[in-house]
Amino acid sequence: MSLLTRKIRSNVGESARPYFIYKTFTFANALTVSVPEVLGSQYGMYVWPCAVVLAQYVWTMRENIQRKKVLELGAGVSLPGIVAAKCGADVTLSDSAELPLCLEHSRRCCEHNDLPGVPVVGLTWGEISPELRSLPPVDIILGSDVFYEPEDFEDVLVTISFLLRRNPSGQFWTTYQERSSDWTIETLMNKWNLQCTDVSLDVFHANKKHLAGSTLPGNHSIQMMIVTAQTMM
């Protein structure tokens, strides 16, 4: 199992007035989502290729997620979460509690798509915080590009494991960009009683250079998997 890329973020430009570039994504000519990117700011405020692929999967599974409790981790511009909310899911967005600008931007993206009521919470991976504990049991966890630095892998999986223990039938849908064949989370998955199933992109029509009417994902090597709690034998 090889992994993965995450948005690297910094607080550069916190005092500067943001300048927005709007990107539009259209799914099957039926749903259009427009999200603002903040140029010259945190990388979490850009749309990354994996987010478009995950949003495509959410759209494909739209009938299955209606009225489901959905949480997006590391949401940033929140494209997958916004698509889920537009498809009738009960969505909560989250990003690191240490990145208030990303949390503010997630709220901005929701408001721009007429979803002002979607809650946005600060969750730092690996921390069993009061905010994490206060969440209701989650049916589906979304995460695009939530793996990048190997030292972060376990923190992500600690959070996933906690959420799946609260709802053993829940699932973590994640997309990642293959960067190195030397990176693996197999041992950590076993440690935290998790298992995964790979999802082929062609199953949900995401094996394209131009997806959802955008220039993304391009020629990126993107993979998807679904993580669940290990079943007891």
Side-chain angles (χ1 to χ4, degrees), residues 71-128:
L71 171 69
E72 183 174 1
L73 298 179
V77 297
S78 311
L79 179 62
I82 288 173
V83 172
K86 289 286 188 180
C87 291
D90 182 1
V91 174
T92 298
L93 302 174
S94 72
D95 215 310
S96 173
E98 301 171 359
L99 296 171
L101 288 185
C102 282
L103 295 170
E104 178 186 348
H105 193 61
S106 290
R107 296 185 185 97
R108 181 183 295 119
C109 291
C110 287
E111 291 172 358
H112 182 67
N113 286 279
D114 300 318
L115 296 169
V118 172
V120 178
V121 298
L123 299 177
T124 300
W125 300 332
E127 294 184 8
I128 311 303

Side-chain angles (χ1 to χ4, degrees), residues 161-191:
S161 178
F162 176 84
L163 292 166
L164 293 182
R165 283 200 304 270
R166 299 183 71 188
N167 181 7
S169 64
Q171 298 183 342
F172 174 40
W173 298 354
T174 183
T175 50
Y176 59 93
Q177 189 168 331
E178 188 173 312
R179 296 293 189 185
S180 171
S181 59
D182 296 329
W183 291 2
T184 179
I185 59 171
E186 184 175 1
T187 300
L188 291 173
M189 294 270 282
N190 289 327
K191 176 181 178 179

